[in-house]
Amino acid sequence: MSTVQAILDDAIEWKTWTSDAGMLAFLTDLQSNILKGHGRDYTANIFLSFEGMPQEKISALLQTLSYLTTSALDQLRAAAAYSATKVSGGRVLCVFLTANGYQRLGVAQSDMPADLAFRAGMQARGALPSLRFKNIPVDFPGINDPARSGWERGGPWDPGKGNPDAMVLIADDDAGLVSAGVNSLKDAFMDAGVTVLGVDRGEAQRRRQLNGSPKGEGLEHFGYVDGVSQPLFLVEDFRANPAWSEAFVPSQFIVPDPAKCTPFSCGSYFVYRKLEQNVQLFKKQEEELAAALKLTGNDEERAGALVVGRFEDGTPVALHPEGQAGVPTNDFNYAGDNQSDPLTATCPFKAHIRKTNPRTAGDDNERAHIMARRGITYGKRNRESVDEDFSDHDQPTGKVGLLFMAYMSDIAEQFEFTQSAWANNTNFKIQNTGVDPVIGQQPNGPADIAWTDAITASSAMFDFKAAVKLMGGAYFFAPSISFLQKGQRPIAVAALQ
Ligand code: HEM
């Protein structure tokens, strides 16, 4: 029988649960969406405050939620059934707690997730002027988040409201069922005395591509295929994508649950950021960058690809001078580049996907910062079908964006490192690279930076201004299901070994 350490140290072959009691116990107690994205097109993220509730009531509420929570095993079996039958796996429900939520529950310090960034919370960490990371004795730029007073008004992040203690995520392929789920939970919350701070609704945007998924590839609002590059850690998944996914071990995304309700209880740290996208500004700047680089005709599309690192259809700019409609590729690195020369780089060092995953061949230190991204878009667009692009006449300046969500085992070394040491650092990967043009948050305002198109060898100074703004967010932990069930009470551990 596998031990929990053995499970976390090697790629997970989940189907062994039928013969391995350790794997069965691990998968039954781990929440869904961590090992693999739930893939549903509609979500509701319900943010809760436990203020004023006695600990027993919070504990009873979590116990009720535990019976509704989807386990990793439920999710993986439903996905296998869907592949065989095309019958939807139905609803997925996940529960998350902030450090404040743990405190209100009265959990012993030793049973509470220890990550320092988690305990401090996103707002406190986002306001720090600089950050330091493991084994690197220099200061990096702070996350530079806007203050709470600048967050979205009216919803869960309204500056007049308190911070969330918990989040419940409901996901389904049927928007009506998600709404029904929210309504029935709201009744239960009201009975328990919980304050619902608000609900963020996610709605996937899709576009069907040649040889791609019949459902269509997931798009973000700037029009690019998203969710392509994922660290796979299920043996069953990376058998199909062996080249770069293989080296990720589950312990990079999953940690033992400190409450140790069973010897196999695990959880994961979770970063939630509501990022609003100004589509009009982004698209206008793509055109201006193309003009500045004198890119015309088919080459014009390359301006956006230099910004993102992929064409809209997902083709990596490092592999092709033009998009190649089809299934987006992920098995590549930048090994052919002269790592110090922007003139010959196949993908600009400042491109979003190079800033957030530099893909230096064989560099495990770089790969240690990768997170398991599980985001979904929010907001409406006026499209008739999944065969259409977003229209040029439908370019919102707000109210649409990305609910960025990611699982990891260390918030500072993964999310914060990516945002601070890479995205916000003008000198990464080489001097004067500039900040990440998609998510960079810089304290000193915009600046002209040299852009180069290696194909035409054309260069121009251009200031690609931020079109993404943080509207709210928090650091959470997705505890084991047995923790939700048993809360802070002493646990009689079942005889599993
Ligand atoms: C509205 C905000 C954002 C937009 C529009 C956006 C868009 C995209 C797109 C189009 C891709 C390429 C598709 C893919 O490889 O999956 C991508 C990849 C990626 N993004 Fe973002 N993203 C956003 C926020 C973030 C944030 C906040 C982070 C982390 C701090 C992040 C980290 C990544 C990473 C790690 C990749 C994969 C890079 C690779 O492995 O090649 N993104 N993003």
Side-chain angles (χ1 to χ4, degrees), residues 185-202:
L185 278 183
K186 272 187 174 166
D187 289 344
F189 293 147
M190 210 186 311
D191 290 348
V194 181
T195 307
V196 176
L197 297 170
V199 182
D200 282 340
R201 295 292 297 252

Side-chain angles (χ1 to χ4, degrees), residues 167-443:
M167 178 182 96
V168 175
L169 169 73
I170 308 179
D172 205 308
D173 273 327
D174 181 324
L177 289 177
V178 173
S179 300
V182 172
N183 290 336
S184 54
L185 278 183
K186 272 187 174 166
D187 289 344
F189 293 147
M190 210 186 311
D191 290 348
V194 181
T195 307
V196 176
L197 297 170
V199 182
D200 282 340
R201 295 292 297 252
E203 178 172 342
Q205 304 287 329
R206 293 189 178 275
R207 181 176 55 218
R208 215 169 355 230
Q209 299 194 168
L210 194 68
N211 304 323
S213 133
K215 206 174 167 184
E217 321 301 327
L219 287 187
E220 54 70 45
H221 282 288
F222 296 143
Y224 291 78
V225 170
D226 198 3
V228 181
S229 175
Q230 287 290 9
L232 307 180
F233 36 103
L234 286 179
V235 171
E236 287 88 348
D237 279 349
F238 69 63
R239 265 188 198 136
N241 308 277
W244 86 292
S245 313
E246 204 157 2
F248 289 96
V249 287
S251 56
Q252 190 163 328
F253 315 95
I254 301 172
V255 294
D257 187 327
K260 296 191 189 72
C261 294
T262 83
F264 295 91
S265 294
C266 287
S268 180
Y269 291 99
F270 181 82
V271 172
Y272 180 92
R273 289 168 77 78
K274 184 171 197 179
L275 298 170
E276 186 177 66
Q277 293 175 249
N278 182 339
V279 179
Q280 196 180 87
L281 174 62
F282 189 91
K283 296 315 260 185
K284 186 169 143 275
Q285 295 188 100
E286 274 182 351
E287 282 176 20
E288 289 170 357
L289 178 61
L293 289 171
K294 301 186 179 55
L295 300 176
T296 54
N298 280 350
D299 281 349
E300 243 179 275
E301 282 297 299
R302 209 159 51 244
L306 296 176
V307 172
V308 173
R310 290 182 185 270
F311 287 86
E312 290 190 0
D313 65 11
T315 310
V317 67
L319 295 190
H320 298 283
E322 288 176 30
Q324 313 252 306
V327 184
T329 316
N330 194 34
D331 297 338
F332 66 98
N333 57 43
Y334 303 112
D337 273 9
N338 175 345
Q339 294 284 319
S340 60
D341 180 9
L343 280 169
T344 58
T346 50
C347 173
F349 295 111
K350 56 173 85 37
H352 175 57
I353 71 161
R354 194 159 194 183
K355 275 288 209 180
T356 55
N357 183 5
R359 291 179 190 252
T360 309
D363 188 336
D364 286 344
N365 287 335
E366 272 180 4
R367 289 161 67 95
H369 303 293
I370 299 294
M371 305 162 259
R373 291 177 300 133
R374 301 286 183 256
I376 188 166
T377 43
Y378 73 90
K380 298 269 172 226
R381 297 299 286 275
N382 301 320
R383 270 190 328 148
E384 296 280 306
S385 81
V386 285
D387 296 316
E388 279 179 26
D389 279 338
F390 292 132
S391 153
D392 288 349
H393 304 294
D394 171 31
Q395 294 188 341
T397 53
K399 305 264 184 244
V400 301
L402 179 71
L403 303 179
F404 175 86
M405 294 180 252
Y407 293 95
M408 61 207 77
S409 60
D410 186 327
I411 293 177
E413 289 299 315
Q414 290 171 271
F415 165 69
E416 291 184 345
F417 189 95
T418 306
Q419 184 73 52
S420 149
W422 287 348
N424 290 1
N425 181 358
T426 49
N427 294 325
F428 181 79
K429 183 159 186 162
I430 57 172
Q431 286 296 111
N432 297 323
T433 304
V435 301
D436 182 319
V438 177
I439 60 161
Q441 301 190 134
Q442 47 183 337

Side-chain angles (χ1 to χ4, degrees), residues 11-17 23 27 233-236 239:
I12 292 172
E13 194 164 3
W14 73 270
K15 288 185 177 158
T16 59
W17 70 271
M23 183 63 78
L27 292 174
F233 36 103
L234 286 179
V235 171
E236 287 88 348
R239 265 188 198 136

Side-chain angles (χ1 to χ4, degrees), residues 119-140:
R119 292 216 176 178
M122 201 179 91
Q123 267 182 70
R125 298 286 295 181
L128 293 175
S130 62
L131 290 169
R132 280 222 170 177
F133 299 101
K134 224 182 269 170
N135 304 328
I136 315 179
V138 293
D139 287 337
F140 286 101

